[in-house]
Amino acid sequence: MATLPAPRRRSTTSVPGPYVQYLQARLLEAEAGLTAMSEKYERTKARFDRCYARRGITPDTDIVNYISAKSMNPELKFWYAKVEHFQREVAAYGAVLAGLDAARRMLADAGYRVSDDPRQRNGRRTLNRAA
């Protein structure tokens, strides 16, 4: 009487909880930083707009000089760079957390199985050119 091989256990590697908590905390910090930098940029831009409006330079009246003055303003560049930095951080941490969650759901799905046969076929006939 032949003995049946023991069923293979599906290895599930989980992401450590403290790492997920770290990522969530970093995402919250990045969101708070984005909010703060966006507010600072908006205040600085409003001040810039008021200053140039007194000179008669607005996007409606003189767009060329407005864009030129805006691009030459170091304070606007600084705060906008900060906004972009925090936007990238929010996107990065959000993407990592979304990816981890998607992987967890996919691996927890009972219908998802990795075949034991490394030569799994895709349903099409494979042509062996060597034969």
Side-chain angles (χ1 to χ4, degrees):
M1 178 176 238
T3 60
L4 294 174
R8 288 183 71 171
R9 295 173 78 185
R10 196 168 86 191
S11 66
T12 57
T13 57
S14 63
V15 178
Y19 180 62
V20 173
Q21 291 170 347
Y22 165 79
L23 290 172
Q24 290 171 338
R26 292 297 306 219
L27 178 61
L28 290 175
E29 289 173 15
E31 288 173 340
L34 177 59
T35 301
M37 294 305 122
S38 295
E39 289 172 359
K40 287 181 182 183
Y41 174 75
E42 290 300 322
R43 283 194 308 264
T44 304
K45 186 172 179 308
R47 190 171 56 245
F48 168 83
D49 287 342
R50 282 192 306 271
C51 176
Y52 277 86
R54 280 185 240 127
R55 298 179 190 176
I57 301 173
T58 65
D60 298 329
T61 59
D62 191 359
I63 189 68
V64 173
N65 284 329
Y66 178 82
I67 290 174
S68 176
K70 188 176 169 188
S71 67
M72 299 294 285
N73 188 305
E75 193 175 10
L76 281 176
K77 284 182 183 180
F78 174 78
W79 290 119
Y80 192 74
K82 291 288 191 179
V83 168
E84 287 179 326
H85 166 76
F86 282 104
Q87 285 173 337
R88 284 189 299 272
E89 275 198 0
V90 167
Y93 289 121
V96 169
L97 287 168
L100 288 174
D101 187 50
R104 180 191 52 78
R105 284 184 281 125
M106 182 180 75
L107 293 174
D109 184 14
Y112 179 77
R113 295 270 191 268
V114 176
S115 173
D116 292 339
D117 182 15
R119 297 173 292 145
Q120 180 181 6
R121 299 190 180 219
N122 59 6
R124 294 185 297 173
R125 224 177 116 183
T126 326
L127 298 176
N128 186 354
R129 302 234 183 241

